[in-house]
Amino acid sequence: MTDRTSERAPEETPKLKEYEGEGITVTFEPRRCLHAAECVHGLPEVFDLSRRPWVRPDAAEAGLVAEVVRRCPSGALQYHPADGSVEHPDSPTTVRRSADGRLVVRGDLLVTGAAGDRRETRVTLCGCGASGIQPYCDRSGPCAEPDADIPEER
């Protein structure tokens, strides 16, 4: 019997970009972004792809920024309030399969990948097996089809 976990190529530590504001800090993990655009549609004054830096957390009230970040289905965007509080996971945990096979999961999650375990509250997981960042989806397989959409979370 072979231990498949030891056969995996080591995954590099995720690269996070951090955007610090007075009331809230937003982090962004580019490789997990699936371009659902919840951020740019939700608070264009904070999230604007045409400027650098593209995230300006102080451009809106911290509670609004947190609310819009929680709409990010992939978990590429996270937030950390200045008061030290944390994002509360959805309860009960929900799992939705998109038409193209991705799994959109929200709740108190422990996700195991090649780099180890990560606590998560929102993820989009690969359902086709083609992702280069398993178990997360990177749209490199069948879910890369142009009309494949992530289910809306409201």
Side-chain angles (χ1 to χ4, degrees), residues 57-113:
D58 288 336
E61 189 269 317
L64 287 173
V65 174
E67 177 185 322
V68 169
V69 168
R70 282 191 299 269
R71 294 180 196 168
C72 176
S74 68
L77 287 171
Q78 301 285 330
Y79 68 91
H80 309 281
D83 66 9
S85 61
V86 296
E87 179 178 351
H88 295 287
D90 287 3
S91 182
T93 296
T94 60
V95 180
R96 291 188 186 95
R97 179 176 288 282
S98 66
D100 55 34
R102 289 176 283 173
L103 299 172
V104 181
V105 187
R106 298 177 78 89
D108 186 9
L109 312 172
L110 180 64
V111 178
T112 302

Side-chain angles (χ1 to χ4, degrees), residues 2 4 29 34 37 39 42 44 63 74-75 102 106 125 128 141-142 154:
T2 304
R4 292 202 168 277
E29 188 177 339
L34 299 175
C39 54
S74 68
R102 289 176 283 173
R106 298 177 78 89
L125 301 175
C128 69
R154 296 278 173 191

Side-chain angles (χ1 to χ4, degrees), residues 18-72:
E18 189 170 280
Y19 304 92
E20 190 172 345
E22 286 192 31
I24 193 167
T25 296
V26 175
T27 60
F28 176 59
E29 188 177 339
R31 69 184 190 158
R32 282 179 54 188
C33 182
L34 299 175
H35 308 291
E38 291 290 340
C39 54
V40 295
H41 294 305
L43 273 178
E45 63 273 25
V46 173
F47 303 96
D48 184 347
L49 297 172
S50 68
R51 69 166 187 246
R52 295 291 176 254
W54 76 280
V55 180
R56 293 190 181 159
D58 288 336
E61 189 269 317
L64 287 173
V65 174
E67 177 185 322
V68 169
V69 168
R70 282 191 299 269
R71 294 180 196 168
C72 176

